[in-house]
Amino acid sequence: MAARDIEMDRYRTDEANEAEPFLAELENGEGKLSAISSDAGAEIPEYTLPPRNRILRFTRWTVFGVYRRIFLMVFLFNLYHAHKIITMKRRSRYSPLLVDLTTAASANMLIAILIRQEYVLNSLYRLCWFVPFATPLRIRRSLAKIYEYGGLHSSTAVCSVLYFTLVSAILTREWITLRIADPLIITCSMVVTSILWTLIIVAYPTIRAKRHNIFEMLHRFGGWTVLAIFFPELWLFTRALGHQSGPSSPGADLTKLPAFYLLILSAFHVALPWMRLRRIPVRPERLGVGVHAIRLHLSEKVKNCVVYRIADSPLTEWHAFACIPEKDGNGGSLIVSNAGDWTRRAINNPKKFYYTRGIPTVGVLCMAQIFRKVIIVTTGSGIGPCLGTMMNIPATKCRVLWSAPSPKHTFGDEIYGRVLEIDPNSVIIDTDAVGRKDLVSLAYKMYKEERAEAIFCVSNKALTKHLVYEMESRGVPAYGPIWDS
């Protein structure tokens, strides 16, 4: 076990950003084990994980994971489509080509926006929920990966930027050769292209993780600016094509330009969540002693397995928290743990209300309900989203492996009691009381002993990725948040 403890030391993390603060945790997710039915100091037998092929597992689950496979397929399709557009025989050298390229750019942008819409995501998840237990496990394993939809968002966004860059390059060439005389369209193109490439650069995972707040602000205000400039640019675009190829050319009439209607749909869906911007009153309940966690009670009716995004101010940083519904169906609560500046402020100085927008969404944990029996691995305040799901999927048997510092004292008797109601034999690790254990080995041991169908992990980013990787590389269906936004 010593060797594995040394290996797992690499997965300690101090989550500087809070893309998903309800999943972040001060601890590294490993702690000391205290089974409910055992004495605090009881030793847990070691469990050796089976071997795996290092090259194949790295290629299959890292280089060509589901997210990247989706990205690659969409990118290759767009590459094929772009080749067809560029090589197509045309009567005019530029006019129809520019029309087709702007249509492709606008279509990709619309898809990138739609796949992030709450009602679209909820519909996709709920369609998967209809799959019965009798469906082969292989199919259910694949459907449970629906949460990797971010691959579609990022790929269509990148393709949209590439298409628009090509349009800008062609327009610039036309302006240099004096075929287009209006400098305004070139100015708009350069501004939009610069903003789009800035968004692509800051969205790169490494940069986004280090500067998530900057990424969020640029993504929001940069996206709004691009959409605002797109419409006058389209009008300038049609005017330029009309002067170049005549008023009867395909792109000379704005109302006949497909990109115009695609941009209207894009702008509408960007504005849609903000149409439901509202303040929700909360009642804070401090958990434990010191700056560790706080529970925010909501008075509005809460649906099962949903996530709320809240903020101090509508135009600043937003944070997602899974909601635990009340037993009587009236209201719910969010658990906020100390995982960064914003959460620390929320714990030290909780407000009487927070802003939320759009509609609550479902997440990765809700896919547990398409399996007969699952192992839920979580650390710290990750128990919040787990409870919100486990309490409402009675047909699925859930076994719980929870690691937290003094969990009963920190999170209160109610939360602790609810865990035991769901799984009386929960394995709870008190990181303040007993020695550190390897959650990967323990999760695998529970999976084998219980003959479960899948493992779900809700922890910090490093541990979640490591546990899911170690399980999947051994053929065990494992799922966890991917922090792609």
Side-chain angles (χ1 to χ4, degrees):
M1 183 64 73
R4 179 158 292 277
D5 284 342
I6 293 173
E7 177 187 353
M8 291 296 291
D9 281 342
R10 294 181 291 137
Y11 296 93
R12 295 187 181 184
T13 182
D14 180 15
E15 293 292 330
N17 71 80
E18 291 183 85
E20 299 287 349
F22 72 91
L23 302 175
E25 178 58 32
L26 290 178
E27 299 291 329
N28 68 327
E30 304 163 59
K32 303 181 177 177
L33 187 68
S34 175
I36 293 301
S37 58
S38 304
D39 295 331
E43 281 294 324
I44 303 299
E46 293 185 6
Y47 195 86
T48 304
L49 293 171
R52 69 285 198 229
N53 186 301
R54 290 186 176 275
I55 297 178
L56 290 180
R57 72 186 175 99
F58 179 81
T59 304
R60 174 69 177 82
W61 300 111
T62 304
V63 179
F64 292 109
V66 174
Y67 184 101
R68 292 185 177 182
R69 275 180 275 162
I70 294 174
F71 185 102
L72 184 61
M73 286 189 294
V74 174
F75 187 84
L76 290 177
F77 172 80
N78 274 280
L79 192 63
Y80 169 75
H81 187 61
H83 178 265
K84 285 187 62 177
I85 291 175
I86 294 171
T87 58
M88 186 183 300
K89 291 183 178 180
R90 308 171 187 276
R91 287 181 298 176
S92 170
R93 184 179 178 186
Y94 289 113
S95 181
L97 171 62
L98 289 173
V99 172
D100 290 344
L101 289 175
T102 55
T103 301
S106 302
N108 275 275
M109 179 181 293
L110 177 60
I111 295 173
I113 293 171
L114 282 177
I115 199 60
R116 290 295 193 190
Q117 291 298 304
E118 293 94 343
Y119 77 90
V120 173
L121 294 179
N122 289 347
S123 298
L124 291 175
Y125 276 107
R126 287 187 167 89
L127 282 174
C128 294
W129 294 352
F130 287 113
V131 177
F133 289 153
T135 306
L137 180 59
R138 185 177 184 84
I139 295 177
R140 285 181 286 140
R141 284 182 62 173
S142 299
L143 289 175
K145 286 288 187 180
I146 184 68
Y147 65 92
E148 306 249 20
Y149 61 83
L152 178 60
H153 169 78
S154 58
S155 187
T156 50
V158 168
C159 290
S160 178
V161 173
L162 292 176
Y163 276 122
F164 191 79
T165 302
L166 183 56
V167 170
S168 298
I170 294 174
L171 289 174
T172 302
R173 178 180 176 180
E174 290 290 271
W175 182 70
I176 292 173
T177 58
L178 303 180
R179 288 172 61 88
I180 292 179
D182 191 351
L184 281 178
I185 189 171
I186 305 302
T187 303
C188 289
S189 296
M190 293 299 104
V191 171
V192 170
T193 303
S194 300
I195 294 175
L196 289 176
W197 277 105
T198 300
L199 297 182
I200 292 293
I201 292 170
V202 298
Y204 188 74
T206 304
I207 300 175
R208 184 180 65 209
K210 292 181 179 179
R211 296 289 185 268
H212 187 270
N213 290 341
I214 294 176
F215 157 77
E216 184 178 345
M217 300 296 281
L218 286 175
H219 211 66
R220 179 181 304 125
F221 294 109
W224 292 352
T225 302
V226 165
L227 283 174
I229 298 176
F230 261 146
F231 286 99
E233 182 179 7
L234 268 184
W235 176 74
L236 293 171
F237 174 74
T238 56
R239 191 175 70 166
L241 292 184
H243 290 163
Q244 182 192 67
S245 304
S248 61
S249 65
D253 187 349
L254 183 64
T255 60
K256 294 181 180 179
L257 203 62
F260 175 65
Y261 298 100
L262 292 171
L263 284 175
I264 290 176
L265 287 174
S266 296
F268 171 76
H269 281 93
V270 167
L272 185 60
W274 296 93
M275 295 178 187
R276 285 182 52 84
L277 179 68
R278 63 196 189 281
R279 294 198 313 179
I280 51 172
V282 299
R283 178 176 60 83
E285 175 194 355
R286 195 172 299 279
L287 301 175
V289 178
V291 184
H292 183 79
I294 196 169
R295 189 176 179 187
L296 304 177
H297 294 270
L298 310 179
S299 57
E300 67 179 36
K301 188 174 182 179
V302 176
K303 293 184 179 180
N304 299 333
C305 311
V306 296
V307 173
Y308 274 75
R309 293 187 181 275
I310 63 174
D312 295 332
S313 173
L315 298 181
T316 56
E317 50 190 305
W318 288 77
H319 302 271
F321 299 90
C323 192
I324 307 173
E326 296 296 338
K327 292 183 179 180
D328 58 7
N330 296 319
S333 59
L334 316 173
I335 295 181
V336 180
S337 68
N338 183 3
D341 294 339
W342 189 92
T343 51
R344 192 174 299 113
R345 290 196 305 269
I347 295 170
N348 285 332
N349 186 27
K351 296 181 178 296
K352 294 182 179 180
F353 64 85
Y354 288 93
Y355 287 93
T356 187
R357 58 185 167 89
I359 57 177
T361 57
V362 295
V364 54
L365 271 174
C366 72
M367 295 310 299
Q369 62 189 289
I370 69 174
F371 299 101
R372 294 184 179 90
K373 184 184 291 187
V374 297
I375 307 298
I376 305 292
V377 182
T378 185
T379 60
S381 61
I383 196 63
C386 294
L387 281 177
T389 299
M390 294 187 295
M391 290 167 53
N392 297 286
I393 52 172
T396 298
K397 182 178 180 181
C398 299
R399 289 299 319 278
V400 180
L401 173 56
W402 179 26
S403 172
S406 303
K408 190 172 184 179
H409 178 71
T410 301
F411 297 96
D413 292 337
E414 183 183 354
I415 297 294
Y416 195 85
R418 287 196 186 187
V419 174
L420 296 182
E421 285 180 18
I422 294 167
D423 180 13
N425 296 317
S426 300
V427 178
I428 300 180
I429 302 172
D430 184 350
T431 59
D432 286 341
V434 286
R436 295 175 58 193
K437 295 293 178 178
D438 177 10
L439 292 185
V440 174
S441 295
L442 291 172
Y444 188 84
K445 180 175 184 290
M446 292 177 67
Y447 170 81
K448 285 297 186 181
E449 290 178 347
E450 295 293 332
R451 296 183 178 180
E453 292 186 332
I455 294 176
F456 285 79
C457 180
V458 178
S459 182
N460 57 62
K461 184 176 181 179
L463 180 62
T464 299
K465 291 180 67 175
H466 177 62
L467 189 142
V468 171
Y469 171 65
E470 291 292 336
M471 294 299 105
E472 287 187 326
S473 64
R474 291 172 170 83
V476 177
Y479 308 91
I482 58 174
W483 286 271
D484 68 322
S485 65

